[in-house]
Amino acid sequence: MFSTSSASSLNFSSFHLGLGNNWNFRTCARPTACLSQSQESGNLEPIKKQDKTSGIGKTRSATKDQVVISNSQVSQQESSPPLITALKASAEQSAATFHFPGHNRGRAAPSSLTKLIGLKPFVHDLPELPDLDDLFSPKGPILEAQQQAASLFGSTETWFLVGGTTCGIQAAIMATCSPGEILILPRNSHISAISAMILSGAVPKYIIPHYNFHWDIAGGVTPSQVEAAIKEVEKEGRKAAAVLVTSPTYHGICSNVREITQLCHSHGIPVIVDEAHGAHLGFHPEMPYSAMQQGADLAVQSTHKVLCSLTQSSMLHMSGSIVDRERISRCLQTLQSSSPSYLLLASLDAARAQISENPENIFDKALQLAIEVKNTIRKISGISVLDHQSFPNFPSTDPLRLTIGFQQLGLSGYEADEILYKDHEIICELVETQSITFALNLGTCREHVQRLLSGIKHLVAASASTQAAKRKVEGVGESAIFAEIETSLVPRDAFFSGKRRVRVENSLGEICGELICSYPPGIPVIIPGETITKKALDYLLHVRSKGAVISGASDPELASIVVCSK
C-alpha cells in the first residue's frame, strides 16, 4: 500500500466513461425566449475600460491588449469564415449525389427530426468532399480556418476537435507521455485525463488540490505544489514527462499558469492546460489571462461552453517547440472520427469569426450583467457568493462564473436548485452539496438575470417562513473527496484484471475495479487500482443521498461494487 501523494514508479491509469461536462440531467419545458443583448430594451452601459495595465487582482502587461488589438485589426480585413464559405458553396451545388450520409442532403431526413430542426442542418451535413478539405491533412478551408483561430487565440498552431475537449486532453497527454513516463496532475482532473493515462500508459503523480470545506469545492494547484511534485519525482532519479493543470476549474478558479509554466520550463517539462472552461479568457481587461498568454505549451478549450460553437466542438492550441506537433497530429488522427461532422467544424470557424469581429468589446455586456447580478445577490440576506477570498491562494477567478451558496438558509444546493427549477424554470449549470453554479455568456440576457434574482429572493422569503433556516446543512467535513487516497495496483492492470462483485459493506480494503464518480461534478472519487476506504464510501453515499448521480459504477445505487480479483 502507498499513497498517491508520493511519487511512484507504477503505471497509474484508468479508463474513460465518455461523460460530458454538463451535469444537469433534467428535461424541462422550453424556456421563455429572450432578446439578444443588442435587442434588449433599456440601454446597457458597457464596462468602463480600465487602464490597460490594470486587471483582476494583479498588474497586467500591455502585451495582451496589444495582441487583442492587433487581432482585431487583422480580423477587419478578413473575408467571411473560410470553412463556412466552403460548406455553403458545396451545399448549394446542383449535383447528382451518391455519397454518404444516407439522408442524402436531407432528401431522406427523418421527418420527426426535420419537424424539430428543419432541413437545413441536413443539407449542410456533408462528408469530406474534396472542396471541403481533410481534417487530418488540411490544405484548404480547414487549414485556413485553423490558422485564423491560431492568430486569434495566440497559438503557433491550432487543431479543430470534433470529439470535445476530452479528445484534446487525450491527445495532449499521449503526445507528451510514453508508456511508463510520469505525468504530474491534480487528483481532481477531469475523467478525460484518467482515460488518457490508460491510452498513453502514463504514470500519474497526483497533486492534492486546495479544498474549501465550507463550500465543498476543490480549487486549483499552486506553483509550490507543482515544484514539490517535480522534486519528489527527481528524488527517484526520474523526470516528469509533462504537467497537467486545470485552469480555470468548473467554478472559475484560475491557477497561476505563468509561474507554473516558468517553473516547468526550467526543468524542460511541457505544460498542458485543461482550459475547457476558459476559451473566453484573455479577451477583456476584466478577465484573467488565457493559458496561451501565460506561456503554456498546450491548451485545450471547449469552444462550445462560453463561446458559441456547437456542443462537442473544441480546439487544441499549441505554442513553442517543446512538444512535437507531428506527434499531436498523429494522436488526433488516432482519436478523432474519420467521418468528422462539418457542422461542428464550421461552428468552430463561425465562433472564431464572431469573436474576431470585436474581440476587445464583445464581452462588455455579459461582464456588466455578471457584475450587477453578483452585487445584487451579495445584498440578499442568507445567500453567499463564491469569490476570490474563498480561494486566496489563487490569482484570479472567471468573472462570468457565478457560484452561490445557501448554507445560512439551511438548504443544500440540491434543495435550492429544485425550488428554482420547479417554481421559476431556472436551469443552472452545476448543482453540488453546498452550492449552485451558473454560467453567464454572450447569450445571457437581462430578462433571465432578473428572473434569477427574483427566484433567489422568493427562495429566501420562503425559507424564512419554514424551519429550514434553523438546521445546518450537513457537509462532508474534513473527509472530503480526496481523503485517504491509496493505490494498491496499477490502474491499467486493474482495468484489465479479473473482476468480481461484492456488497458495498464488504468492499472496504478491496482494490476497486471500476471508476466511480459523483455526478456532479464528474471528478473520480475512486479510480481502478485504488483501495476502497470508508471515507471514500461515506462521501459517495452522502452525495448520493443529496441527489448526486453515481456514474461509472455498474451499480449506481452502490449496493455493490466491482473489485479486482486477488
Side-chain angles (χ1 to χ4, degrees), residues 443-486:
T444 302
C445 62
R446 183 174 292 279
E447 188 272 331
H448 285 180
V449 169
Q450 290 172 340
R451 190 194 298 188
L452 172 61
L453 292 172
S454 176
I456 292 174
K457 291 176 181 178
H458 172 267
L459 183 151
V460 171
S463 298
S465 61
T466 68
Q467 297 299 312
K470 294 183 179 180
R471 65 180 177 85
K472 181 181 179 181
V473 179
E474 184 183 357
V476 295
E478 296 296 311
S479 58
I481 187 170
F482 307 114
E484 293 187 357
I485 294 174
E486 292 184 351

Side-chain angles (χ1 to χ4, degrees), residues 289-327:
Y289 287 107
S290 70
M292 284 289 99
Q293 290 167 333
Q294 296 183 74
D297 300 284
L298 297 170
V300 194
Q301 299 175 337
S302 294
T303 317
H304 63 89
K305 292 193 185 301
V306 179
L307 302 187
C308 303
S309 66
L310 294 176
T311 296
Q312 195 177 311
S313 59
S314 296
M315 295 186 192
L316 168 58
H317 305 293
M318 184 182 79
S319 183
S321 58
I322 297 181
V323 180
D324 182 355
R325 57 93 49 207
E326 293 298 331
R327 191 169 172 181

Side-chain angles (χ1 to χ4, degrees), residues 8 24 234 295 408 435 463:
S8 167
N24 198 324
E234 289 178 342
Q408 298 175 54
S435 62
S463 298

